[in-house]
Amino acid sequence: MYGAPNHHVVIVGGGFAGLYAAQSLRRAPVRATLIDRRNFHLFQPLLYQVATGGLSPADIASPLRSVLRSQRNVCVLQGEVSGIDAAGRRLLLGDAHIEYDTLIVATGASHHYFGHADWEPLAPGLKSIEDATEIRRRVFEAFERAERESDAARRQEWMTFAVVGGGPTGVELAGAIGELAHHTLPKDFRQIDTRQAQVYLIEGTERILPTYDERSSRAAVKSLQRLGVTVCMNSVLTDIEPDRVTIRRDGRSDTISARTVLWAAGVQASPLGKAVAVATGAELDRQGRVIVEPDLSVPGHPEIFVLGDLAHARQPDGRPLPGVAPVAMQQGAYVARLIKGRLRGQPTPPFRYRDRGSMAVIGRSAAVAQIGRLRLHGFPAWLAWLFIHLMYLVEFENRLLVLMQWGWNYFTWNRSARLITETSKSREDRALPAQPPANPVA
C-alpha cells in the first residue's frame, strides 16, 4: 500500500493543519490534493483585528494556489466534500469523487451556542472572513446609529457591547472595542462621546483566560479595565434579545441593555466529523470531534487521519489537546512525517504536542504571555505577540503589509479599515425611520 511511488494523499481543509501537512510533503514521493471550499488560507488568530477595523481581510488571507504554486506534487481544488466512502477509499464531492491512498481531514470548527441556535443571528461568532466583516459592520454601525438617536436610553443601548466568552478571542475582541471607543473614535463624532460606550465581557467561570495561570488572568482583567471594559465573571448567559442580554450570577438574574452582542463562548466540530464517524464507525465527543488514536489516525482506519479542531487527541495526562493554531501546525507536520516514514517502512512514534506557550493581546501595548515557565505581561508580552504572529503569517507580503499597518495604527491610534459593508439585513434596518439627532449640526 505505502510503497507505491504514486501514493495519493488527499487533504481536506486549507487551514493550519491541512496547509502544514501539504507543505511538509514537499519532498515526499507522493502526489497530494488539497481540497477546500474556500480558495484561501486564513490566519484566524488575527480575525479579531479585521472585526475591529485594524486590518483588512486580504492582510490575513493568502490564496492557497499562490502559497503552494512552487510545490509541484500538490494540486489544489476548490470544492466541498459531501461524504466519505471509507471501504472504497473515495471522497465524495457532490456528483464527483476522488480516490485516495491516505486521507487527512482537517476542516476545523464552527460556533457552538449550547442548544440555543436562535442566538446565532443576534450574537455572531468569529471564525471566518464573513464573520469578521459582519462583526465589523455591527460594531461601527452601532456608533452610527447612536449618532442619529435622540433618545438617551436608546443611544446608550447602541453604545453598549456585550462579548460572551472570556477566552483569548473574547478578551481580544473586548479590548479592541474598548480601545476603539476610548482612543480611536472620540474625535470622529459630533453628537456622541464614544468614551461613554460600555463594553461587557461575560464569562461563566471564576476567571477569564481560564487556561492561563491566575496571575495572567488578573493582569488581563486590569488591562481590560483600563480600556473601560467591565469584566463579569461567574456570570452565566441565560438569554439574548435584540436589545438586551440576561445573565445569572450570585443566584440572581441581571439584564444588560446592549444592541451589539458578540459570541466567543464555544465551538463545535465541523459537520465532516459526523461524516467520518458514519463512514468509519469512529466515536465523537460532545463537541462532535473525532476521537483519534495516538498517531492521529481513525481507529480501525490507519489510512485516515483527523487533525486540528476536528480531532479529539489526548495528551499524556488524558486531557484533550486545545484547539489552537500551534497544535494544528504540529499535527500537520507530524502526519506528513508519518506518511514519509510509512513509505520507507519506518515506524513513527505517537504524536506529542510541544507547548511553546500561549498569548492573548488586550490592547495597545498590553498582552499576556506564557512561554514555558516565563510569564510576561504588558508591553514585553505585546512585543512578543507581535513578533510571533508576524512570523506565522504564511506569505512575506502579508507580513510586510501587517507590519506597516500595525506601525501606522500604533503611532496614530487609527484603524484605517473601519468600513461598514452592507448586507440585505443591514439595508432593511437602514430603511427604518430614524429619530433625528437632538442637536443637529448645521
Side-chain angles (χ1 to χ4, degrees), residues 49-268:
Q49 293 213 2
V50 175
T52 53
L55 296 173
S56 295
D59 294 337
I60 64 168
S62 300
L64 287 167
R65 293 186 183 278
S66 175
V67 175
L68 297 168
R69 62 187 168 192
S70 63
Q71 195 166 333
R72 303 302 298 174
N73 67 336
V74 175
C75 171
V76 177
L77 296 179
Q78 184 179 2
E80 189 160 6
V81 174
S82 57
I84 300 171
D85 176 9
R89 294 192 180 179
R90 300 188 309 165
L91 202 62
L92 309 179
L93 291 86
D95 295 335
H97 70 271
I98 182 169
E99 297 180 351
Y100 63 82
D101 295 303
T102 296
L103 175 63
I104 299 173
V105 185
T107 49
S110 58
H111 319 301
H112 185 27
Y113 290 86
F114 306 107
H116 293 275
D118 55 310
W119 289 354
E120 185 170 6
L122 302 174
L126 187 58
K127 283 292 182 183
S128 67
I129 288 290
E130 290 79 8
D131 294 336
T133 54
E134 172 61 14
I135 288 174
R136 184 180 66 185
R137 180 190 72 79
R138 294 193 186 203
V139 168
F140 290 108
E141 192 154 288
F143 288 107
E144 297 291 344
R145 296 292 290 265
E147 177 84 346
R148 296 165 53 196
E149 183 59 68
S150 61
D151 181 83
R154 287 197 295 267
R155 184 187 308 123
Q156 190 58 57
E157 288 176 0
W158 283 113
M159 293 175 62
T160 302
F161 303 84
V163 180
V164 184
T169 299
V171 167
E172 289 166 348
L173 271 174
I177 296 172
E179 190 173 274
L180 272 173
H182 287 82
H183 299 291
T184 302
L185 298 178
K187 295 181 180 179
D188 288 9
F189 291 87
R190 301 295 178 264
Q191 308 302 324
I192 60 173
D193 180 359
T194 62
R195 290 167 295 190
Q196 295 178 355
Q198 296 179 333
V199 183
Y200 291 88
L201 178 61
I202 301 169
E203 168 58 34
T205 64
E206 61 185 8
R207 59 189 177 93
I208 62 172
L209 299 177
T211 59
Y212 291 60
D213 66 18
E214 291 190 19
R215 186 171 59 173
S216 296
S217 296
R218 289 195 299 269
V221 169
K222 291 179 180 178
S223 296
L224 288 168
Q225 289 172 339
R226 284 195 290 269
L227 291 170
V229 177
T230 300
V231 181
C232 304
M233 292 175 283
N234 289 314
S235 300
V236 178
L237 185 76
T238 59
D239 195 22
I240 303 177
E241 297 179 57
D243 59 352
R244 66 178 65 92
V245 297
T246 304
I247 59 176
R248 187 179 69 252
R249 55 183 171 184
D250 299 329
R252 70 176 190 275
S253 291
D254 293 328
T255 298
I256 299 172
S257 296
R259 293 274 182 174
T260 306
V261 184
L262 307 178
W263 189 263
V267 296
Q268 62 183 354

Side-chain angles (χ1 to χ4, degrees), residues 14-32:
F16 288 111
L19 182 60
Y20 270 64
Q23 291 177 319
S24 299
L25 289 170
R26 176 182 297 273
R27 294 180 176 84
V30 301
R31 57 188 180 93

